[in-house]
Amino acid sequence: MLLARKGYRVLLVDKSTFPSDIMSTHFIWQRGVARLKRWGLLDAVVTSNCPPVTRFSLDIGPFALVGSPPPIDGVSEAYAPRRKVIDKILVDRAAAAGAEVREGFSVQEIVMDGGRVTGIRGRTRDGGMITEHARLVIGADGMRSIVARAVQAPEYNVIPPLACGYYSYWSGVDCPGGEIYVREGLAFIGFPTNDRLVCVVALRKVEQFHQYRANIEAMYLETLSAHPGFAARVRGGKREERFVGTADTQNFFRKPYGPGWALVGDAGYHKDPITAQGITDAFRDVELLVEAIEAGAEEAFAGYERRRNEAALPMYQSTCQRAALGPPPPEMVQLFTALRGNQRETDRFFGTDAGTVPIPEFFAQSNIQRITSVRQSTLQNELSLLCAVG
Ligand SMILES: Cc1cc2nc3c(=O)[nH]c(=O)nc-3n(C[C@H](O)[C@H](O)[C@H](O)COP(=O)(O)OP(=O)(O)OC[C@H]3O[C@@H](n4cnc5c(N)ncnc54)[C@H](O)[C@@H]3O)c2cc1C
């Protein structure tokens, strides 16, 4: 869509037809919604009757933090449009921008000339094989990218799968905000989506996947029971769809460019979905890639990789740390404790997931010290007041 809008001749092929669903819990943080707004697509999401999400809670057991991330570019809402909604919007807008869209086209082979990618060969909807040539082949084809495989794109920062999980959609469950529950060895999350449904995800450590898969519903509900109130709300509703889940939650970066090819989205950078960053990141990276294509030179593509990695690494580390589902490190417990009653900093903490507050800025030692010392001095004041009263 972005390339077609800039006047490039674009052929977009996808083996799916749209609207269609794909495995994803499709939560788009404020940082991603801001791009939808900039591209003129936000209205279509809003009119799909997808409710905005502005309030989040993080329940770590002894207590919960509740807050609203600060806005970014005037956007303070997150949305979780179903993939059959958002993917259709994106494909239609690409076509409207002038891209030639061929649905039901499965790429079988990447065409090379010497070391350079020069096109694709694939099966059309009616079964014929077709070859198409292009100056640049962009693999926006997900974690198992055929483009990445064909060019043997080098992988780095690889971390094996850490968590596994299942999700489904429930009606009759009151959950207007994003609710995140974390306990040692498990986590679960609920948020609203289209059609008045609530998406509920229940995660366990990857080692438990065989046990989980053998008895999905029981283990899913057992996971939720770590918070009896939330579990009761979900049990009081009705499950409207089947369970969907995976343990194939790979974590890696790939070199995203080479002669005649580029990678974007999951094809170039994949991580555990626990922090729901994949779509938001893909939106960022397409903009970076389009800038590199416009600049044209090899250094511009190297710049694309560098900028992607710089932007992605802090959240990648946080995502992998959270996906391990271990006990929270003591300094995190100390921070959460200090955040209680400090609404401004709690909002900014949620902003680090929403992409509206930079992680390095919030988690800078000086900032953390400031937050924890404010809490300590408040505690000391309360204590001296009690002593004075006593
Ligand atoms: C369980 C789960 C939950 C998730 N939850 C969230 C979440 O809440 N929020 C979030 O931001 N992210 C989430 N993600 C991650 C998110 O889904 C991905 O990051 C996102 O879909 C990446 O988009 P993409 O376009 O790069 O790849 P994809 O969405 O995978 O799209 C790839 C496209 O390429 C097509 N394709 C693949 N191979 C071929 C071929 N050979 N020929 C033709 N077409 C092909 C596919 O049909 C598909 O349409 C989740 C992922 C999982 C697995």
Side-chain angles (χ1 to χ4, degrees):
M1 179 188 74
L2 298 183
L3 287 171
R5 283 180 181 176
K6 288 185 180 291
Y8 289 86
R9 238 179 107 213
V10 178
L11 170 64
L12 169 63
V13 302
D14 200 301
K15 64 183 177 192
S16 295
T17 55
F18 300 91
S20 63
D21 227 341
I22 193 170
M23 181 168 53
S24 175
T25 54
H26 48 80
F27 192 86
I28 307 177
W29 290 101
Q30 283 78 349
R31 174 169 67 91
V33 173
R35 288 205 163 78
L36 288 173
K37 183 178 164 195
R38 188 149 80 223
W39 300 338
L41 309 183
L42 181 55
D43 287 350
V45 172
V46 174
T47 53
S48 75
N49 282 323
C50 184
V53 182
T54 54
R55 214 162 164 69
F56 295 85
S57 63
L58 170 65
D59 184 311
I60 60 166
F63 61 88
L65 297 170
V66 180
S68 300
I72 182 168
D73 298 337
V75 171
S76 49
E77 299 87 14
Y79 288 89
R82 292 292 295 261
R83 291 297 293 258
K84 60 188 176 190
V85 172
I86 184 70
D87 288 20
K88 175 76 177 145
I89 293 170
L90 288 163
V91 170
D92 285 354
R93 294 302 176 96
E100 181 186 341
V101 178
R102 288 193 212 152
E103 300 182 19
F105 184 109
S106 170
V107 177
Q108 308 280 306
E109 206 183 306
I110 302 303
V111 182
M112 309 252 227
D113 186 1
R116 189 175 185 86
V117 171
T118 57
I120 54 168
R121 186 164 164 72
R123 196 173 296 284
T124 62
R125 221 186 251 201
D126 46 29
M129 288 294 286
I130 284 194
T131 303
E132 294 284 359
H133 291 283
R135 212 146 43 94
L136 181 69
V137 172
I138 300 173
D141 51 345
M143 179 173 80
R144 290 177 201 84
S145 168
I146 189 171
V147 180
R149 255 182 292 139
V151 300
Q152 298 181 332
E155 292 189 355
Y156 49 96
N157 297 342
V158 179
I159 296 176
L162 298 159
C164 66
Y166 282 89
Y167 66 90
S168 190
Y169 298 93
W170 297 75
S171 61
V173 176
D174 180 35
C175 180
E179 300 186 23
I180 306 160
Y181 299 85
V182 180
R183 304 286 186 273
E184 192 174 344
L186 59 90
F188 46 102
I189 302 162
F191 51 86
T193 179
N194 296 93
D195 309 320
R196 295 173 171 271
L197 297 178
V198 168
C199 179
V200 180
V201 193
L203 307 169
R204 303 292 280 244
K205 290 189 178 208
V206 75
E207 301 83 47
Q208 291 184 290
F209 186 59
H210 291 297
Q211 193 191 343
Y212 203 161
R213 192 170 53 177
N215 207 343
I216 298 169
E217 182 157 28
M219 197 138 166
Y220 177 93
L221 292 173
E222 185 200 308
T223 306
L224 304 189
S225 70
H227 189 284
F230 184 74
R233 259 189 289 152
V234 174
R235 281 175 180 276
K238 177 169 180 265
R239 183 164 60 82
E240 299 289 348
E241 297 187 24
R242 67 192 176 96
F243 286 108
V244 178
T246 185
D248 194 7
T249 48
Q250 300 174 39
N251 306 287
F252 61 76
F253 287 65
R254 287 189 182 126
K255 183 181 179 207
Y257 70 95
W261 62 273
L263 303 174
V264 75
D266 278 5
Y269 160 46
H270 191 270
K271 63 275 171 193
D272 191 286
I274 190 166
T275 49
Q277 299 288 330
I279 301 168
T280 298
D281 280 351
F283 288 172
R284 175 197 62 219
D285 295 343
V286 285
E287 278 190 345
L288 295 177
L289 177 59
V290 167
E291 278 177 37
I293 292 169
E294 287 227 281
E298 157 125 23
E299 308 86 75
F301 284 87
Y304 159 52
E305 179 175 17
R306 194 186 56 249
R307 291 168 74 194
R308 177 198 67 176
N309 293 0
E310 279 170 10
L313 261 173
M315 182 49 92
Y316 184 66
Q317 285 159 350
S318 172
T319 298
C320 292
Q321 192 240 318
R322 284 190 257 177
L325 299 175
E331 60 277 12
M332 225 36 188
V333 176
Q334 200 191 354
L335 171 65
F336 291 154
T337 308
L339 285 174
R340 292 176 78 188
N342 185 341
Q343 196 57 53
R344 182 175 178 276
E345 292 302 336
T346 301
D347 290 346
R348 283 172 50 75
F349 167 72
F350 282 109
T352 59
D353 272 359
T356 66
V357 174
I359 292 178
E361 183 184 306
F362 184 84
F363 287 97
Q365 220 181 351
S366 54
N367 194 47
I368 297 301
Q369 266 167 3
R370 193 178 54 77
I371 294 168
T372 45
S373 64
V374 167
R375 175 68 183 166
Q376 265 158 13
S377 65
T378 311
L379 282 174
Q380 264 154 14
N381 284 346
E382 282 168 8
L383 205 61
S384 33
L385 200 67
L386 279 174
C387 292
V389 171

